[in-house]
């Protein structure tokens, strides 16, 4: 088996370079306070998947959090094309992360001056890394320590603050599992640490509704738009013959074990994920 070469590059402050070489202001609120939002977009055969959907969610997140509008899709797509060319990655897959920080303000602390909503105070950067989407079965547990808050605006946004997901996965791995599932503060099944939950039950795909506090994932929404998935209020107790998966833009993992319960493995996670991608651009 030939190991794929890892290709990575970043754009910041009007220049391209290796990610490790680009310099970042230490006083940026994204670094200090996690005050920023991001999107992770699959680049499939050199083409960004569901870019408009990611940008729409990005813009909604900025509005919810009182930030300026982030850069538009056309401008970002041009940067993507440059990254693909620089990495010679037109036939491979990559993860593109676009970042939007509130930037450096005049004073320290958490207060946000009115002028902070102007784009000139914000900071954008892009990271491009070659990847191989993943589909192997995994084991999960229900986190005992971390819960999603369905009432928080932050639950609707992909913010820089991933501490809860980090701790939930750490909890799972210390217990001998691959990943954690999170409940909401109202005890509903919510999401994985970095993915949405799907349950195949009695011939239908079910996914927690947004009132659970789950992130409105782009692949999740594609399934809803196409009538493949249905929102439901779900508990963390599996039913007989359930098949559970975790899905996001970069892969789809069947869950083979939840806490101490063995689950029936969904055998076509790749096909499900691939069915939600956009057709190859001609």
């Amino acid at each position: 088996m030939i190991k794929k070469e890892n290709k990575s590059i970043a754009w910041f402050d009007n220049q391209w370079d290796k990610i490790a070489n680009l310099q970042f202001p230490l006083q940026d609120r994204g670094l200090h306070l996690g005050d920023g939002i991001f999107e992770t977009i699959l680049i499939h055969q050199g083409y960004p998947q569901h870019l408009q959907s990611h940008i729409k969610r990005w813009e909604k997140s900025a509005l919810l959090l009182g930030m300026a509008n982030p850069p538009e899709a056309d401008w970002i797509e041009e940067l993507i094309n440059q990254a693909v060319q620089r990495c010679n990655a037109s036939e491979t897959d990559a993860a593109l992360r676009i970042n939007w920080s509130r930037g450096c303000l005049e004073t320290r602390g958490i207060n946000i001056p009115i002028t902070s909503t102007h784009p000139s105070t914000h900071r954008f950067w892009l990271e491009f890394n070659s990847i191989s989407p993943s589909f192997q079965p995994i084991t999960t547990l229900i986190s005992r320590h971390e819960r999603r808050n369905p009432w928080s605006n932050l639950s609707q946004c992909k913010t820089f603050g991933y501490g809860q997901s980090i701790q939930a996965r750490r909890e799972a791995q210390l217990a001998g599992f691959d990943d954690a599932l999170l409940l909401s503060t109202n005890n509903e099944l919510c999401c994985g640490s970095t993915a949405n939950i799907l349950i195949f039950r009695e011939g239908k795909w079910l996914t927690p509704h947004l009132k659970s506090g789950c992130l409105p994932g782009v692949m999740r929404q594609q399934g809803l738009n196409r009538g493949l998935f249905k929102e439901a209020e779900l508990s963390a107790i599996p039913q007989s013959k359930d098949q559970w998966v975790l899905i996001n833009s970069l892969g789809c993992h069947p869950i083979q074990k939840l806490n101490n319960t063995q689950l029936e493995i969904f055998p076509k996670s790749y096909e499900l994920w691939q069915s939600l991608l956009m057709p190859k651009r001609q």
Side-chain angles (χ1 to χ4, degrees):
M1 180 176 179
I2 299 175
K3 185 177 181 181
K4 291 184 178 180
E5 179 185 358
N6 182 38
K7 301 174 181 178
S8 64
I9 197 170
W11 184 97
F12 174 62
D13 199 20
N14 290 314
Q15 63 176 319
W16 290 98
D17 206 338
K18 294 180 180 179
I19 293 174
N21 291 346
L22 293 175
Q23 298 181 0
F24 194 78
L26 294 180
Q27 70 270 33
D28 187 276
R29 286 176 65 100
L31 178 62
H32 269 208
L33 303 171
D35 190 8
I37 54 178
F38 74 98
E39 292 287 328
T40 302
I41 302 161
L42 172 70
I43 310 300
H44 183 57
Q45 298 180 339
Y47 181 64
Q49 290 287 314
H50 305 302
L51 180 60
Q52 293 294 340
S53 296
H54 281 284
I55 295 297
K56 184 177 180 180
R57 185 174 64 178
W58 207 26
E59 291 174 343
K60 182 178 180 180
S61 296
L63 181 63
L64 280 172
L65 302 181
M67 301 176 71
N69 268 347
E72 297 181 351
D74 290 346
W75 184 76
I76 290 173
E77 187 164 11
E78 176 55 34
L79 287 179
I80 292 171
N81 292 335
Q82 293 180 33
V84 169
Q85 292 173 9
R86 286 172 176 269
C87 292
N88 192 25
S90 60
E91 298 299 324
T92 60
D93 291 329
L96 178 86
R97 173 167 163 150
I98 50 177
N99 304 278
W100 189 234
S101 165
R102 207 181 300 267
C104 301
L105 303 183
E106 294 180 357
T107 58
R108 65 176 303 279
I110 68 170
N111 288 342
I112 303 173
I114 295 175
T115 56
S116 71
T117 58
H118 193 277
S120 63
T121 66
H122 289 53
R123 182 166 284 110
F124 169 85
W125 69 99
L126 173 153
E127 303 160 45
F128 181 98
N129 285 279
S130 61
I131 62 158
S132 294
S134 183
F135 306 96
Q136 74 267 23
I138 61 172
T139 59
T140 62
L141 60 68
I142 302 294
S143 174
R144 295 181 300 151
H145 305 300
E146 304 297 336
R147 294 205 172 199
R148 296 274 290 186
N149 179 1
W151 305 105
S152 173
N153 284 341
L154 295 173
S155 294
Q156 303 178 51
C157 310
K158 285 180 74 74
T159 72
F160 292 169
Y162 256 55
Q164 184 175 63
S165 292
I166 292 169
Q167 290 303 312
R169 184 170 291 184
R170 176 176 177 269
E171 175 189 350
Q173 292 178 344
L174 287 173
F177 293 79
D178 297 312
D179 205 352
L181 305 185
L182 282 75
L183 304 179
S184 66
T185 53
N186 55 17
N187 215 39
E188 291 181 38
L189 183 66
C190 183
C191 58
S193 62
T194 60
N196 287 113
I197 298 172
L198 300 174
I199 299 176
F200 192 66
R201 178 177 293 167
E202 298 180 352
K204 298 179 181 179
W205 281 110
L206 305 177
T207 190
H209 54 59
L210 293 182
K211 292 181 181 179
S212 71
C214 71
L215 184 76
V218 168
M219 297 293 269
R220 170 188 180 276
Q221 190 61 48
Q222 286 298 315
L224 291 171
N225 292 346
R226 302 180 193 188
L228 301 175
F229 308 158
K230 181 180 179 181
E231 291 182 309
E233 182 176 328
L234 298 169
S235 77
I237 302 174
Q239 295 185 13
S240 176
K241 298 185 179 180
D242 272 358
Q243 294 175 325
W244 293 38
V245 303
L246 288 174
I247 191 167
N248 62 22
S249 293
L250 304 184
C252 183
H253 293 277
I255 298 176
Q256 62 185 356
K257 184 179 180 181
L258 173 61
N259 290 347
N260 293 320
T261 301
Q262 295 290 334
L263 299 181
E264 185 176 327
I265 297 176
F266 180 67
K268 296 184 178 181
S269 57
Y270 171 74
E271 290 82 357
L272 173 65
W273 177 84
Q274 188 180 48
S275 73
L276 300 175
L277 299 184
M278 299 173 66
K280 184 176 180 180
R281 185 167 58 175
Q282 300 300 319

